[in-house]
Amino acid sequence: MKSVGIVSSQTLHVSTPLNMVCGSVLPEYDIAYETYGSLDAEKSNAILICHALSGHQHVAGFHEGNKNPGWWDDYIGPGKVIDTNQFFVVCSNNLGGCHGSSGPASTNPETGKVYGPDFPIVTCKDWVNSQNELRQHLGIDAWSAIIGGSMGGMQVMQWAIDFPDKIKHAIVIASAPKLSAQNIAFNEVARRAIMTDPEFHDGRFIEAGTTPKRGLALARMLGHLTYLSDDLMGTKFGRELREGKLNYNFEVEFQVESYLRYQGEKFATKQNFDANTYLLMTKALDYFDPASEFDDDLTKALSSATAKFLVIAFTTDWRFSPERSHEIVKALLDNDADVSYAEIESSHGHDAFLLPNEHYEEVFRTYLSQVVQKDLTAKGEQDV
Amino acid sequence: MSKATLSPEFKLISKWIRDESRVLDLGCGDGQLLSYLKTTRNTTGYGMEIDPKKNIQAIAAGINVIQSNLNSHDIYDYFDEDSFDYVIMTQALQVVRRPDILLDQMLTIGKESIITFPNFGHWRNRAQLLLDGRMPQNDALPNTWYDTPNIHLCTFKDFEDLCAEKHIQVVDRAVVNRYHESSILMKLIPNLLGEVAIYRVKRK
């Protein structure tokens, strides 16, 4: 299957102040984004992809000189599930991120210094509001679909609640209506790992000329653990030893230890992910709870949504289990909303939403072909 | 079961359904019935289906379909009392673990229920068992005894006894053969001559 090929990021500078949920105001900010495919004459074939925790705008294709494709390249491209021959696909780096959108690692235009810990606490609502600026900039009246997995799925729900007339189809994958205490606990351990790293310097590590690599690597190791399933780790590593024998010391002995350390270090050093961004993103996850503004009633929270929903969960995902998706489905059913739900058999845990899977792809493709068909029918009706 | 053989059943069911009503189809398969009712009666609602392949077919038919296993998930997990005008279950009552409990649930979330099932009391089934001494196998019951999904086969009389016991009112009954045709004789002695039962029931 073909790739969207060589792509590059663009940046939108927004000078309309953003009133944030935390009470702060960002007078101006940047949103980094990528687009694939082309917007049709009616500007009706646009799909917004919302990224998960450590994701960014580079979702498909390749950057010049880089062999690694975008994070969801398996699903986005010509002839792929999210077909760029049919759709105009947009993905932006969330505000507070570290891949080109304004965030803790960027320069505060008011002071000329790096924001660091001074970047305001962002929430899912703030992301949606800033993505809405991008929508207007691109001249898109309403997204044909907004799609997101995990934290991306939360943004999809927030869009459906806050801008019901700007989203026609909502595809929520491996997500949850809010974090459980266990989810928040994992995030807190990850944050403590970062904040207690001696090189954290109260978040001013860039000015100090260093990075809390160890803390960031630990945070990523923990995250990684929660994204995999016990079965998968068992199959992949079992209790396999690196040197074929036990050495009775604290060096890496089991293969699984080696794998986790590799993942952590890769994230902290090679990808150079900003530690403050990790803190902000996990906090935004913790705060997400659209029902809290509606007497803790998710049904009420989703009552304004008019989008058609597709909710997808994976059998071995214990971070956001199928039961969490049921909560979303139930609230939508209570509102008599259009919703379909699919539960995909997979051994890959939470990570399954990023990986190739025949059933998942077929559900996704079939649903999106409906999106195209319905839009065509709607256009036909308008013509008459 | 193919679309062609099912469509007469669809027509019978469609006759019993009011325009613009809300319908839940349990075990909706490829969604053809809901799609037919949407076209003929302008209904809204959902299908539920356990089979991932049929689920995708239902999505392709433009149906809202919830993938769910009725033997491990309670329909109360999804729907509240009086959520639907009709809860339909075609050719699936005999495969659920507790049809009696499900019948109660169907009539709690829906005002009425439409149920179809193969009649085990049909003369051909009786004849096979009596003369051949073997579990019946035919067009309406194609599986062998060891690999059949049908764990609770029943006859018209059995079903009506269950309804009576549960104070469920039989509003309509249609008795058809495997081609979904009806005859006067079939109406006179349904338990012997009817191959497929189509019932509309409601709470008394």
Side-chain angles (χ1 to χ4, degrees), chain A residues 144-146 156 160 164 167-172 305-311 332 337-340 367 370-371 374, chain B residues 38 62 64:
Chain A
S144 181
I146 305 184
V156 178
I167 165 173
K168 289 181 187 163
H169 295 267
I171 303 184
V172 178
T306 52
K308 293 176 192 298
F309 278 78
L310 171 65
V311 179
L332 290 165
D338 279 304
V339 53
S340 284
Y367 187 86
Q370 286 287 312
V371 170
K374 277 183 187 149
Chain B
K38 210 163 131 184
N64 290 318

Side-chain angles (χ1 to χ4, degrees), chain B:
Chain B
M1 220 170 292
S2 78
K3 199 173 153 185
T5 59
L6 267 180
S7 68
E9 191 174 315
F10 289 2
K11 279 182 192 159
L12 275 170
I13 292 172
S14 173
K15 273 187 205 162
W16 290 344
I17 294 213
R18 281 186 309 276
D19 286 345
E20 303 193 347
S21 45
R22 285 189 60 73
V23 176
L24 172 68
D25 186 2
L26 296 175
C28 69
D30 59 9
Q32 294 302 328
L33 174 59
L34 278 174
S35 162
Y36 181 77
L37 295 177
K38 210 163 131 184
T39 320
T40 56
R41 294 283 174 221
N42 203 17
T43 58
T44 52
Y46 306 94
M48 288 187 113
E49 176 57 49
I50 178 176
D51 184 329
K53 285 213 171 78
K54 288 182 182 162
N55 233 292
I56 292 167
Q57 291 171 329
I59 291 175
I63 294 303
N64 290 318
V65 58
I66 310 298
Q67 190 187 339
S68 187
N69 180 353
L70 284 176
N71 280 332
S72 58
H73 250 285
D74 211 309
I75 45 177
Y76 293 152
D77 291 350
Y78 294 97
F79 303 107
D80 303 325
E81 206 171 313
D82 281 332
S83 297
F84 295 95
D85 298 307
Y86 304 93
V87 179
I88 303 179
M89 193 149 81
T90 57
Q91 307 283 338
L93 188 73
Q94 73 277 9
V95 308
V96 298
R97 201 175 292 149
R98 286 297 298 267
D100 56 332
I101 295 173
L102 189 62
L103 194 60
D104 277 338
Q105 294 183 341
M106 287 167 75
L107 283 172
T108 303
I109 60 166
K111 291 180 190 118
E112 294 189 1
S113 263
I114 294 170
I115 293 148
T116 79
F117 57 87
N119 175 31
F120 201 67
H122 183 258
W123 69 267
R124 205 178 282 114
N125 296 334
R126 297 190 200 194
Q128 269 188 33
L129 199 57
L130 186 72
L131 302 174
D132 201 22
R134 287 194 168 86
M135 283 301 280
Q137 220 181 324
N138 50 53
D139 284 353
L141 297 166
N143 308 86
T144 47
W145 64 272
Y146 49 84
D147 72 349
T148 176
N150 302 322
I151 52 176
H152 285 118
L153 284 163
C154 67
T155 72
F156 285 19
K157 278 186 183 166
D158 289 329
F159 182 74
E160 286 180 21
D161 286 351
L162 177 67
C163 289
E165 198 182 299
K166 290 189 163 293
H167 304 286
I168 292 168
Q169 185 192 338
V170 174
V171 186
D172 270 310
R173 182 181 73 178
V175 181
V176 291
N177 65 14
R178 75 181 87 161
Y179 309 110
H180 295 90
E181 296 159 345
S182 196
S183 70
I184 296 166
L185 259 183
M186 250 183 255
K187 280 174 188 158
L188 286 172
I189 30 178
N191 208 28
L192 196 63
L193 296 180
E195 262 185 302
V196 177
I198 310 177
Y199 277 93
R200 180 157 71 104
V201 296
K202 68 174 193 183
R203 278 169 269 165
K204 263 183 191 164

Side-chain angles (χ1 to χ4, degrees), chain A residues 262-321:
Chain A
Y262 169 75
Q263 291 294 343
E265 274 158 31
K266 186 175 84 173
F267 187 69
T269 53
K270 285 192 190 148
Q271 294 177 6
N272 204 18
F273 200 88
D274 184 73
N276 282 320
T277 287
Y278 207 89
L279 299 180
L280 278 183
M281 298 283 167
T282 55
K283 264 289 175 190
L285 272 172
D286 294 357
Y287 291 133
F288 179 74
D289 182 11
S292 65
E293 290 172 47
F294 298 86
D295 311 322
D296 289 322
D297 184 342
L298 187 64
T299 301
K300 274 193 207 163
L302 283 163
S303 65
S304 59
T306 52
K308 293 176 192 298
F309 278 78
L310 171 65
V311 179
I312 299 177
F314 297 89
T315 49
T316 52
D317 183 353
W318 59 275
R319 177 101 187 198
F320 292 151
S321 68

Side-chain angles (χ1 to χ4, degrees), chain A residues 54 213-214 216-225 227-228 233 236-237 255-273 278 351:
Chain A
S54 60
K213 283 183 198 135
R214 279 164 292 180
L216 201 51
L218 277 177
R220 189 58 179 171
M221 283 167 80
L222 178 71
H224 222 77
L225 266 180
Y227 306 146
L228 303 177
M233 273 197 280
K236 207 167 170 181
F237 308 105
Q255 286 293 12
V256 66
E257 296 173 308
S258 160
Y259 170 79
L260 273 184
R261 284 199 195 186
Y262 169 75
Q263 291 294 343
E265 274 158 31
K266 186 175 84 173
F267 187 69
T269 53
K270 285 192 190 148
Q271 294 177 6
N272 204 18
F273 200 88
Y278 207 89
D351 266 353

